[in-house]
C-alpha cells in the first residue's frame, strides 16, 4: 500500500550532505510527496513535502524528478541528531498516509 | 507545551483486559488520527476523525473503539486485549487533510502479557 521504495539503510559522515532517494513510480497527478523522520523512541516528525517543484525549508530540501517518479530528500549538513528513520510517503486524496519501511540513516562522527 | 500528548506512555496489561489511551492536542487542529506501529516498525493508520466525526476506519477489529469528545481529544479504547495488540500506538493531528503535515505524539507502548 505504501507505493514507495527506499533503501533500508544509509550512512553519512557528520557535516556532509546526505541524499536520501525514494522511488514512487506509480504516483498519480494528485499525490503529494511527504517526508517524515522518526528518531528512536519518538513519534514521526514532519520534514518536508512537495507536489511538482523542488522545495526548501529550514530542515531540508526536496528534489522532485521531472516525471515525479522519484524524489530525493537532501540534508545539507548531517548532524548526529539527524540519525533517524526517514519515511517517504505519498499522500493520497483524503487523510491517508501509508508509511513504508523507511531508510535508517546512520551519521558517523 | 507539548503539542500532541498521549497518556500513558507505557501500558502493561494482561490478556482479556480493557484499556484506554488518551490523546490531546493544543494546536487547534481539526483532524486527529490513531496509528499503530508494530514490531517491524511499520506504521499503519487505524482511525481518522475530523471535527469529532469518523472519516477513516481502516480494517481494525471492532474491539478498538475511538472516542472524540471534542476536536482537541481523541481517545482509543481497547476491549478484550490480545497478545497481538502489543505495539506502539501514535496519536497525530493535522489541520484539514494534513497537506502541511501531521504532528505526532510520542507514542504509547502497549504490552499485553
Amino acid at each position: 500500500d505504501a507505493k514507495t521504495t527506499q533503501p533500508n539503510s544509509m550512512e553519512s559522515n557528520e557535516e556532509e550532505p546526505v541524499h536520501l532517494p525514494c522511488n514512487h513510480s506509480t504516483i498519480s497527478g494528485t499525490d503529494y510527496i511527504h517526508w517524515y523522520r522518526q528518531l528512536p523512541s519518538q513519534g514521526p516528525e514532519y520534514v518536508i513535502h512537495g507536489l511538482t517543484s523542488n522545495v526548501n525549508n529550514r530542515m531540508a530540501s526536496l528534489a522532485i524528478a521531472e516525471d515525479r517518479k522519484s524524489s530525493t530528500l537532501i540534508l545539507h549538513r548531517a548532524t548526529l541528531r539527524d540519525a533517524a528513520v526517514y519515511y517517504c510517503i505519498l499522500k493520497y486524496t483524503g487523510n491517508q498516509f501509508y508509511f513504508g519501511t523507511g531508510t535508517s540513516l546512520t551519521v558517523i562522527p | 507545551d507539548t503539542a500532541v500528548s498521549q497518556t500513558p506512555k507505557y501500558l502493561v496489561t494482561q490478556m482479556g483486559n480493557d484499556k484506554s489511551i488518551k490523546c490531546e492536542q493544543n494546536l487547534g487542529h481539526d483532524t486527529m488520527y490513531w496509528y499503530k506501529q508494530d514490531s517491524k516498525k511499520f506504521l499503519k493508520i487505524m482511525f481518522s476523525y475530523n471535527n469529532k466525526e469518523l472519516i477513516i476506519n481502516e480494517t481494525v477489529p471492532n474491539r478498538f473503539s475511538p472516542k472524540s469528545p471534542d476536536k482537541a481529544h481523541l481517545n482509543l479504547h481497547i476491549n478484550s486485549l490480545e497478545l497481538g495488540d502489543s505495539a506502539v500506538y501514535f496519536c497525530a493531528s493535522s489541520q484539514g487533510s494534513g497537506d502541511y503535515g501531521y504532528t505526532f505524539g510520542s507514542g504509547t507502548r502497549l504490552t499485553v502479557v
Side-chain angles (χ1 to χ4, degrees):
Chain A
D1 285 347
K3 298 189 179 181
T4 62
T5 304
Q6 300 175 252
N8 286 333
S9 62
M10 291 184 65
E11 286 186 351
S12 173
N13 292 321
E14 195 177 8
E15 297 191 3
E16 292 195 355
V18 185
H19 291 233
L20 297 165
C22 181
N23 287 324
H24 28 78
S25 57
T26 60
I27 192 170
S28 75
T30 56
D31 288 344
Y32 281 82
I33 302 158
H34 282 242
W35 283 82
Y36 281 75
R37 71 180 186 181
Q38 187 172 19
L39 279 66
S41 301
Q42 293 190 28
E45 175 188 26
Y46 169 81
V47 177
I48 201 167
H49 79 282
L51 184 62
T52 55
S53 304
N54 294 344
V55 185
N56 300 298
N57 67 19
R58 62 175 180 82
M59 290 182 70
S61 295
L62 176 60
I64 301 173
E66 196 169 334
D67 62 6
R68 301 211 324 126
K69 294 185 176 181
S70 65
S71 61
T72 303
L73 178 71
I74 303 165
L75 306 179
H76 296 286
R77 287 184 65 206
T79 69
L80 296 179
R81 293 194 299 176
D82 291 324
V85 177
Y86 286 78
Y87 295 98
C88 166
I89 307 156
L90 298 185
K91 171 125 183 337
Y92 307 113
T93 302
N95 297 354
Q96 301 185 46
F97 271 149
Y98 290 98
F99 286 74
T101 54
T103 297
S104 178
L105 175 66
T106 300
V107 180
I108 302 167
Chain B
D1 282 346
T2 303
V4 179
S5 59
Q6 298 178 226
T7 54
K9 189 170 178 64
Y10 298 97
L11 183 55
V12 181
T13 187
Q14 291 187 326
M15 284 175 55
N17 284 350
D18 302 338
K19 291 292 179 186
S20 292
I21 306 171
K22 295 186 177 182
C23 179
E24 176 182 4
Q25 54 96 3
N26 63 5
L27 299 167
H29 288 166
D30 59 4
T31 308
M32 296 184 73
Y33 313 83
W34 277 109
Y35 274 81
K36 177 181 179 181
Q37 188 167 42
D38 61 24
S39 58
K40 295 182 179 179
K41 305 296 184 184
F42 186 71
L43 267 161
K44 184 173 174 58
I45 190 167
M46 301 173 69
F47 301 104
S48 170
Y49 267 74
N50 177 262
N51 282 319
K52 302 194 299 175
E53 290 193 15
L54 180 66
I55 55 174
I56 292 176
N57 182 358
E58 292 289 311
T59 305
V60 175
N62 57 16
R63 298 181 295 103
F64 290 79
S65 53
K67 294 283 192 302
S68 182
D70 55 60
K71 71 176 190 177
H73 296 84
L74 181 62
N75 303 324
L76 184 65
H77 188 76
I78 315 170
N79 290 328
S80 302
L81 278 156
E82 300 177 357
L83 293 177
D85 298 331
S86 296
V88 182
Y89 292 84
F90 288 101
C91 177
S93 72
S94 71
Q95 185 57 35
S97 61
D99 284 344
Y100 295 97
Y102 288 13
T103 302
F104 281 81
S106 57
T108 295
R109 181 175 294 277
L110 171 65
T111 303
V112 182
V113 296

